[in-house]
Amino acid sequence: MSPDQAPLTVLTVQTGHRYPDLWVSRLAAMVARHLPEAHRFIIYTDRPEAGRFEPPGAAHQQLEVRDLQGGSLQGFFGKLRLFDQALTGTDPFLFLDSTLVIRASLEPLIAIGRSSSASVIGVRDWNYPILNSCVLWCRPDAHTQTVWDAWQQGRYADIAFPGDQNVIFHVFGETAPAALTYWPEGLVSSYKALRKLARRDPEAAQRALAASRILKFHGRPKPEEVLHPWRHPQHTILRHPLHPRLWSYLADEVRRHWH
């Protein structure tokens, strides 16, 4: 980091009770392991209570818990609050979902973010031709602020968005399509896509895994279900009943980095 750069900020959002606080603590620990640069890890939450999250004890990571001030935002939509500079400020930041397993250095993503002029860098969704917002580099500017302002002002109240990423993608598509770009393919991998690939081509799946920095667990299974497939057969065993090697696919990887 050059002397004129602000300290790196990594953010996550934890609202409601959908996912355990432990997962956020594990995310902070994975970031500390895979990001040697001094950084702030900020947890935005609707319950900013002291002692909720376990700090990883790494000298180069400063853990902070802040009030999301999300008002009536529910579920995934709480992430939209991060686009308000009144809350997050004007310094660039890396956002990470809590349903990730970080398996390698985050430094390539940081380098890409810092060298890009894009307002937002995200993942190209694995199933639909839109943004996936699980890993975002955000450079706060007028374009990013428009996301929050448009939502807050109800400009798209007549559209039933299924999630925050649909809102972000829609606003950028209408107002500044060139300001939204994507990470190089393969840096962030879908667990389900890798498992599907491993069924027909195990070697290709292994190569894709080796190239990835982050595994995203969207939908089911989640990491704990991979570690205990017999407790969660609907999302593991019954998905590939004739392929036992896929029942706990990448369990060693999950155990090494997440558990």
Side-chain angles (χ1 to χ4, degrees):
M1 183 176 68
S2 64
D4 59 337
Q5 287 178 326
L8 178 63
T9 298
V10 182
L11 308 181
T12 194
V13 169
Q14 173 75 332
T15 59
H17 301 276
R18 184 184 180 108
Y19 301 123
D21 290 350
L22 176 61
W23 291 15
V24 176
S25 297
R26 287 176 173 173
L27 177 65
M30 287 186 289
V31 171
R33 287 197 299 272
H34 293 293
L35 186 59
E37 177 182 329
H39 60 274
R40 299 184 303 162
F41 186 91
I42 303 176
I43 304 165
Y44 281 99
T45 176
D46 53 353
R47 293 177 290 126
E49 305 155 5
R52 276 185 65 196
F53 306 99
E54 181 179 349
H60 64 289
Q61 183 183 85
Q62 176 185 344
L63 190 143
E64 302 176 23
V65 180
R66 296 186 182 179
D67 190 344
L68 181 64
Q69 302 174 26
S72 61
L73 290 174
Q74 300 294 321
F76 305 118
F77 292 95
K79 194 185 303 181
L80 296 177
R81 190 71 174 85
L82 301 180
F83 287 86
D84 184 10
Q85 294 173 43
L87 181 74
T88 56
T90 58
D91 292 331
F93 60 82
L94 178 68
F95 168 82
L96 300 171
D97 268 350
S98 61
T99 52
L100 304 174
V101 170
I102 302 174
R103 59 172 308 277
S105 173
L106 292 173
E107 291 175 296
L109 283 83
I110 303 303
I112 291 169
R114 283 177 168 156
S115 64
S116 174
S117 60
S119 301
V120 170
I121 305 174
V123 177
R124 197 179 297 276
D125 195 81
W126 300 278
N127 297 315
Y128 306 100
I130 66 168
L131 165 80
N132 187 293
S133 61
C134 65
V135 179
L136 295 175
W137 178 268
C138 182
R139 186 184 301 279
D141 60 12
H143 302 312
T144 62
Q145 185 68 41
T146 298
V147 173
W148 173 249
D149 291 345
W151 179 262
Q152 185 75 348
Q153 295 164 11
R155 296 183 203 171
Y156 304 108
D158 58 335
I159 302 177
F161 292 109
D164 65 278
Q165 61 194 30
N166 305 83
V167 178
I168 300 165
F169 184 74
H170 186 86
V171 174
F172 269 93
E174 283 204 341
T175 63
L180 170 64
T181 188
Y182 300 93
W183 301 110
E185 185 176 356
L187 279 183
V188 183
S189 293
S190 157
Y191 172 84
K192 290 199 294 186
L194 283 180
R195 187 176 64 175
K196 186 176 181 179
L197 178 61
R199 178 172 177 172
R200 66 178 188 273
D201 192 339
E203 292 185 359
Q206 187 59 38
R207 290 194 298 271
L209 173 66
S212 68
R213 303 284 161 165
I214 298 173
L215 292 176
K216 168 60 177 175
F217 287 78
H218 54 99
R220 307 296 281 272
K222 289 294 187 276
E224 64 177 11
E225 296 169 335
V226 172
L227 293 175
H228 306 287
W230 288 99
R231 299 180 192 172
H232 310 277
Q234 182 179 356
H235 306 296
T236 54
I237 297 171
L238 296 181
R239 291 294 177 94
H240 302 279
L242 302 181
H243 298 271
R245 65 185 176 84
L246 299 180
W247 295 351
S248 56
Y249 178 63
L250 298 186
D252 289 342
E253 194 80 11
V254 172
R255 190 174 292 110
R256 181 180 307 116
H257 299 288
W258 183 80
H259 196 254

